[in-house]
Amino acid sequence: MTILTDKNYVEKAEKVIKKLNKKLNRDGQSEFELTTSKLRKLLSMTSTLFDEIQARPIEELQDKISYLRVQFLYQAGRTDGLRKGGTNPVKDLVEKAEILQCLSEITDKASLIRFCRYMEALVAYFKFEGGKD
């Protein structure tokens, strides 16, 4: 895994978003199964850590990073709103973006900042590629 050390995390985010599951809407057009609101919820969880790392050492944030991992697991495991035979769009994102692995690799300020920026890049490409609420 090199997302947290690779300078190409923006390109990785673009590839992830382009691989996300899509469905046909009522007009027969392809659209993401994932909604912007669900993706923003995941991003908001990381934003707090980004703010805190500016003022606190990484050692004081390890519990919060672990809890963030639990929250991503929970959101990825939720099945509310899924129809029989449907897919879980949050789980699709978490797996394709390798988010849980990234979270387990955070060891210092730089890797936490890189993770937060990676999440921002995922949201940006999602919107750019037509993601809607």
Side-chain angles (χ1 to χ4, degrees), residues 4 49 52-53 56-70 102-113:
L4 299 182
L49 282 175
E52 289 188 47
I53 195 66
R56 297 173 62 192
I58 190 73
E59 296 78 22
E60 292 181 19
L61 299 176
Q62 287 301 329
D63 282 345
K64 289 187 178 191
I65 293 167
S66 295
Y67 185 68
L68 182 63
R69 192 163 187 245
V70 169
C102 288
L103 285 167
S104 68
E105 293 178 4
I106 295 173
T107 57
D108 56 16
K109 181 177 180 175
S111 58
L112 178 56
I113 290 171

Side-chain angles (χ1 to χ4, degrees), residues 35-45 123 127 133:
T35 62
T36 301
S37 59
K38 287 185 180 183
L39 185 54
R40 286 207 171 276
K41 183 174 186 172
L42 299 175
L43 177 64
S44 72
M45 290 189 281
V123 172
K127 288 301 285 182
D133 288 330

